[in-house]
Amino acid sequence: DDLEARTRTEPGLVLVGRVRGGGLRRGRPQAACRWRSRTTSSTTGSSRASPSRFSTPTEARPAARPATRPTARSIALDVIRRVTDEGAYSNLTLARTLERALLSQRDASFATELVYGTLRRLVTIDHELAPLLERPLDTAPKGARAALRLGAYQLRYLRVPAHAAVSETVALVDQRHRGFVNAVLRRLATVAPSVPEGPGDLEVSIRTGLAEWAVRELRRVLSSDDETEEAAAALAERAPLTIRANTCRSTVDELERAFAAAGLRSERGRVHPDSLVVESGAATALPGFEEGWFAVQDQASSFVVRALDPQPGDRVLDVCAGPGGKTGHLACLIGDAGRSVAADVSPSRLELVRGNIARLGLQTAPFVQDGRRPAIRGGFDRVLVDAPCSGIGSARRRPELLWRARKDE
């Protein structure tokens, strides 16, 4: 039997999903889900197709729904949409959203898994959703698109019952799009995963989640197909949460005791002595976050600051300071007698520096400049330049970097 789900998105706009068959099948599904737009003539009453129109006219906006308490899934849906459609940074957006939501530790961890997991597997998820749709996924309404990706991640990668993954995700979608999202996710739940085999760049991209052009670049510098896929998979691995004790406010020993008292396991860093690797989903939920006891910083990043060897009283310049992890580390090491200057070409990234420095209880002088055309006169004892690049090396921490960067960047 055919299941046909229709729901109006605006006067004349209908989302249509067709799902065929009830059993588990391999390969391409026999039918697809689609969305289409119809407008009706005010004089003739006739309909015509308008596939490009998805927005709701001002006069037809639905009444605002009452505010509901945020959940792990609702937070994840919002963050995923903002990262994929608005270019937001997953780590910063998720941290701010969780801070406002006041979820339990368990729910915060689940939201973190949903966000990072969906973004990390986005290339694979989009590949699996594509055969279920008659039109490209990128043309779907933003909220519906984010919900499809979120639901698909739960169905494919988490031990969440299919009925819960579908129903709980569909419930978050605007009423106008629920039929469409429900139809697609129900169909996805009945088909086996479709992951292509072969050593080609596209196949490796789909299997690992790394952009196809980046796989091609890896292949150019590595000696074999196996090494290429291993490197791509390593970039897509989940990074553990690593923090650095802000020694101007706490010690690594004090942090260990605080985490143990909260039932959290941690492990001393092997590269940097003030680092801890923590089993937790969200840094904002850890003891001491608000008090500025620690900074979220990978050991390699902390090691770079130590290698610079700033001394108490030094004048230091961080040329590309945003978002401020290394800046805070430098400011603490030089102490009140030193002078910390944080520069960045992006005003928004400097705002992140200000926020991080304030939370850590430190001082720096932030200003906007292009490091290629310095605006500062006077010498410094130490200068740190973490020059902008594609950022793919940070994809373990910000998984959207696996597919967001373009080759010309």
Side-chain angles (χ1 to χ4, degrees):
D1 294 333
D2 286 0
L3 170 65
E4 180 171 357
R6 292 189 175 92
T7 177
R8 292 193 174 275
T9 62
E10 62 178 58
L13 180 61
V14 180
L15 299 183
V16 181
R18 296 184 184 274
V19 183
R20 291 183 179 171
L24 188 67
R25 294 191 180 92
R26 296 184 180 274
R28 187 179 182 89
Q30 297 176 345
C33 299
R34 68 185 185 276
W35 46 94
R36 69 169 180 254
S37 176
R38 293 203 307 248
T39 57
T40 304
S41 168
S42 59
T43 56
T44 65
S46 62
S47 297
R48 59 185 178 84
S50 301
S52 62
R53 293 180 64 246
F54 289 113
S55 59
T56 303
T58 302
E59 66 273 15
R61 288 176 182 166
R65 288 176 291 178
T68 57
R69 183 179 179 83
T71 65
R73 284 186 177 87
S74 67
I75 286 175
L77 182 65
D78 178 57
V79 174
I80 291 167
R81 181 190 58 78
R82 291 164 66 184
V83 172
T84 55
D85 294 322
E86 300 175 9
Y89 298 117
S90 60
N91 57 332
L92 303 176
T93 305
L94 178 61
R96 287 194 295 261
T97 306
L98 288 176
E99 186 176 1
R100 294 193 300 266
L102 301 177
L103 295 180
S104 66
Q105 178 69 36
R106 179 180 178 181
D107 285 347
S109 297
F110 186 41
T112 301
E113 169 63 32
L114 291 174
V115 169
Y116 288 146
T118 302
L119 297 176
R120 184 173 292 108
R121 299 298 180 184
L122 195 77
V123 173
T124 309
I125 287 171
D126 286 1
H127 167 76
E128 292 218 46
L129 288 172
L132 306 180
L133 306 170
E134 288 186 352
R135 297 179 56 193
L137 180 61
D138 286 346
T139 65
K142 294 179 180 179
R145 181 166 62 238
L148 287 174
R149 288 165 166 167
L150 174 62
Y153 178 70
Q154 296 171 73
L155 290 171
R156 285 295 188 245
Y157 297 100
L158 298 184
R159 298 174 63 182
V160 175
H163 67 87
V166 174
S167 63
E168 294 295 329
T169 301
V170 170
L172 301 173
V173 182
D174 190 291
Q175 184 68 43
R176 302 168 299 172
H177 305 154
R178 288 183 182 178
F180 165 62
V181 174
N182 180 65
V184 176
L185 291 182
R186 287 180 62 184
R187 176 58 180 148
L188 182 66
T190 67
V191 297
S194 174
V195 180
E197 299 180 355
D201 297 335
L202 178 59
E203 289 78 14
V204 173
S205 173
I206 293 172
R207 288 197 297 267
T208 64
L210 183 64
E212 184 179 359
W213 72 263
V215 173
R216 190 176 302 114
E217 290 297 303
L218 284 176
R219 192 183 303 279
R220 188 172 59 84
V221 299
L222 297 174
S223 60
S224 69
D225 292 340
D226 289 342
E227 285 188 333
T228 298
E229 182 151 3
E230 288 174 4
L235 288 171
E237 285 181 355
R238 179 182 311 168
L241 174 61
T242 304
I243 65 169
R244 173 187 54 80
N246 175 19
T247 54
C248 289
R249 286 197 169 180
S250 68
T251 67
V252 68
D253 292 331
E254 291 171 339
L255 286 174
E256 277 187 317
R257 289 194 292 270
F259 294 162
L264 301 171
R265 291 189 293 178
S266 62
E267 178 182 319
R268 290 286 183 108
R270 298 180 180 181
V271 178
H272 190 268
D274 292 330
S275 295
L276 285 176
V277 180
V278 186
E279 291 187 0
S280 172
T284 55
L286 293 177
F289 178 82
E290 294 293 340
E291 295 81 1
W293 292 355
F294 62 86
V296 179
Q297 190 172 3
D298 286 336
Q299 294 185 69
S301 176
S302 301
F303 178 81
V304 168
V305 174
R306 283 292 186 181
L308 190 63
D309 194 27
Q311 299 298 311
D314 275 354
R315 289 167 54 89
V316 299
L317 168 64
D318 190 348
V319 178
C320 307
K326 297 185 186 72
T327 302
H329 198 177
L330 289 167
C332 180
L333 292 175
I334 63 177
D336 293 337
R339 175 67 167 169
S340 168
V341 178
D344 203 285
V345 71
S346 168
S348 62
R349 288 180 67 81
L350 273 183
E351 285 302 314
L352 299 176
V353 175
R354 289 189 179 97
N356 281 325
I357 292 296
R359 185 181 65 83
L360 297 173
L362 302 169
Q363 296 292 327
T364 192
F367 72 100
V368 177
Q369 76 156 15
D370 187 333
R372 296 169 296 180
R373 293 181 289 275
I376 300 176
R377 294 182 179 179
F380 289 89
D381 300 298
R382 302 284 190 275
V383 176
L384 176 63
V385 182
D386 185 3
C389 60
S390 68
I392 291 178
S394 300
R396 297 176 71 216
R397 184 77 57 201
R398 290 166 48 200
E400 69 272 17
L401 296 176
L402 291 168
W403 42 262
R404 174 178 288 174
R406 303 189 307 269
K407 184 178 181 180
D408 57 7
E409 296 177 320

